[in-house]
Amino acid sequence: MTHQDDKPVYVTQPFLPPLEEFIPYLEDIWERKWLTNNGHYHQELEKSLCEYLGVKHISLFSNGTLALITALQALRITGEVITTPYSFVATTHSLWWNNIKPVFVDIEPQFFNIDPEKIEAAITPKTTAILPVHVYGNPCNVERIQEIADAYGLHIIYDAAHAFGVKYNSSSLMNWGDLSVISFHATKVFNTFEGGAIICHDERTKKRIDFLKNFGFAGETTVVAPGINAKMNEIQAAFGMLQLKYIDKAILRRKEITNFYRDNLKNIPGISFFDECPNVVHSYTYFPITIDSAIYGKTRDDVYSELKAKGIFTRRYFYPLISQFPTYKGLPSSNRENLPVANAVSEKVLCLPLYPDIEYDTMKKICHLFHF
Ligand SMILES: *Cc1c(COP(=O)(O)O)cnc(C)c1O
């Protein structure tokens, strides 16, 4: 066994540009002595991301979860919010931190996003908004969700944590909904170590969001809301500027890896994965497969454990469902009968390692293990 084979392989590895290229940014920050509070790089990154993503306004945050919590505050969302149990737990936590009751609606079986046809039945007089997630960067049925929101007078906030750079019908997916929230966590396609942002469509909302992330300050002595401290600092923002130079290359590499998996895992009975969605430009955030144990002969958990024993750490995104965590288990909508598709998918899904620096031999080894 070579040393290479001993190295554990994780589901993801953060993309880092060459360290020496970051030093000049640090020197500049030391020179400016402005470390946070809408500094030079903060402004640069907001501008550059608007251009890169093709969105009107963006407000940077210290992480995606605080951006979600603040997005709900910005629109004064209260009461009940309709959301999906098939996501990272922060989606629902953001409701809890705002004292909002989550109402879980099942997912559709094609892309594992919230099923729009099941939303209306979950609306009550207390419902004020819908919080869907573009899971794995595959767009929700945004047209149908907008129709429902318009008919019932509801807000839409998309958790777009997986959707950096995704385009739908040639426009940023984040142009849909009232607000979209994105994460720049180390494990995401575009990272600033930790980080996040809210995307909005008008200047007034952008201003309110900017107040809220800075304690509610609207001027030196004016506080207009009980805001929080969720500002992105200059080191994070400068790092984002450097990352932007590499992002296209990183996404292209993700596409190549995705295609490799697709070519090498096709025609295995019991193993399925998504095809490219029509009218979508992807950024290849994850490579999830589903394992039908009756056909494949092994369960998802068998495969997960076997790979783990060989040093390959896949992740069961998303298992358990958010509705199964103790905080949310007691909610009426967490009932298994209410969420049959989400429960079934969460027991057969597995995300394979996908990151720009993954080695060819590692991918080959992973695929080989599926042809047992
Ligand atoms: C990563 C993620 C978040 C949280 O973002 P952080 O930046 O880690 O706080 C929220 N929702 C989803 C779907 C995520 O994947």
Side-chain angles (χ1 to χ4, degrees):
M1 224 186 215
T2 65
H3 176 68
Q4 224 23 280
D5 288 327
D6 290 324
K7 267 196 310 196
V9 174
Y10 298 105
V11 74
T12 191
Q13 193 182 88
F15 178 77
L16 291 167
L19 178 60
E20 64 273 16
E21 290 183 24
F22 193 46
I23 307 297
Y25 289 87
L26 291 174
E27 287 168 347
D28 190 45
I29 292 169
W30 258 245
E31 191 69 33
R32 291 174 187 275
K33 301 195 188 333
W34 188 312
L35 307 186
T36 186
N37 287 58
N38 199 28
H40 171 77
Y41 287 107
H42 187 282
Q43 292 177 30
E44 290 262 292
L45 186 59
E46 285 195 344
K47 225 171 23 198
S48 302
L49 282 173
C50 279
E51 276 165 31
Y52 181 81
L53 298 170
V55 298
K56 272 232 179 79
H57 299 279
I58 189 162
S59 181
L60 297 173
F61 276 74
S62 48
N63 63 62
T65 303
L66 282 168
L68 275 170
I69 291 171
T70 308
L72 291 157
Q73 288 272 327
L75 300 182
R76 302 176 194 278
I77 306 298
T78 57
E80 294 178 6
V81 167
I82 290 171
T83 189
T84 171
Y86 193 78
S87 180
F88 180 60
V89 71
T91 310
T92 308
H93 281 351
S94 70
L95 297 170
W96 207 256
W97 276 78
N98 277 295
N99 226 342
I100 295 165
K101 183 178 173 188
V103 176
F104 295 117
V105 160
D106 206 7
I107 57 173
E108 39 79 13
Q110 199 188 355
F111 290 112
F112 311 164
N113 286 322
I114 194 166
D115 186 343
E117 299 319 316
K118 293 180 180 156
I119 290 176
E120 278 179 281
I123 296 173
T124 77
K126 290 188 181 143
T127 311
T128 56
I130 310 170
L131 176 61
V133 182
H134 301 298
V135 180
Y136 313 127
N138 289 319
C140 292
N141 186 339
V142 287
E143 292 93 348
R144 186 74 192 104
I145 293 171
Q146 189 65 58
E147 266 174 28
I148 296 165
D150 289 344
Y152 290 86
L154 304 176
H155 285 292
I156 306 169
I157 299 174
Y158 281 107
D159 181 337
H162 302 173
F164 184 91
V166 175
K167 293 210 187 302
Y168 176 57
N169 292 334
S170 316
S171 160
S172 172
L173 181 57
M174 291 183 285
N175 287 322
W176 287 85
D178 297 299
L179 301 174
S180 288
V181 176
I182 193 157
S183 164
F184 305 143
H185 182 257
T187 56
K188 307 299 205 269
V189 167
F190 175 84
N191 89 76
T192 58
F193 282 53
E194 293 263 6
I198 303 178
I199 283 85
C200 68
H201 317 310
D202 65 274
E203 210 159 315
R204 208 166 143 253
T205 309
K206 154 82 171 148
K207 217 174 213 179
R208 174 161 165 82
I209 293 166
D210 286 346
F211 294 159
L212 284 171
K213 77 176 178 195
N214 186 29
F215 310 99
F217 275 109
E220 198 181 324
T221 53
T222 317
V223 170
V224 294
I228 197 160
N229 180 4
K231 304 183 298 285
M232 179 181 276
N233 69 49
E234 284 292 276
I235 292 190
Q236 286 173 285
F239 189 73
M241 288 303 292
L242 180 55
Q243 288 284 62
L244 262 186
K245 295 188 182 172
Y246 287 92
I247 189 67
D248 283 336
K249 235 196 250 169
I251 291 174
L252 187 64
R253 184 74 193 113
R254 286 175 171 277
K255 180 179 181 163
E256 290 166 359
I257 296 158
T258 299
N259 286 334
F260 182 91
Y261 279 138
R262 283 178 175 158
D263 287 346
N264 287 277
L265 295 175
K266 69 181 173 204
N267 306 327
I268 303 180
I271 303 286
S272 323
F273 44 82
F274 297 123
D275 288 325
E276 211 96 350
C277 307
N279 310 321
V280 175
V281 177
H282 286 277
S283 48
Y284 308 95
T285 318
Y286 296 94
F287 192 79
I289 61 168
T290 56
I291 299 167
D292 183 337
S293 57
I295 301 171
Y296 185 62
K298 290 180 189 175
T299 66
R300 184 274 312 271
D301 289 341
D302 292 340
V303 174
Y304 168 82
S305 304
E306 277 176 31
L307 288 170
K308 193 168 162 180
K310 294 195 156 67
I312 296 160
F313 296 87
T314 57
R315 289 303 287 270
R316 290 166 287 185
Y317 289 143
F318 290 101
Y319 168 86
L321 294 177
I322 303 175
S323 48
Q324 304 200 322
F325 290 117
T327 317
Y328 306 114
K329 218 179 156 81
L331 292 168
S333 63
S334 293
N335 202 313
R336 252 187 109 86
E337 285 70 59
N338 185 47
L339 308 167
V341 182
N343 274 283
V345 169
S346 111
E347 277 150 29
K348 61 181 187 177
V349 73
L350 194 67
C351 285
L352 303 186
L354 171 55
Y355 49 90
D357 293 331
I358 194 168
E359 286 169 36
Y360 177 74
D361 284 349
T362 306
M363 293 193 287
K364 230 169 67 179
K365 181 171 150 193
I366 293 167
C367 291
H368 190 72
L369 291 169
F370 278 92
H371 296 269
F372 69 99

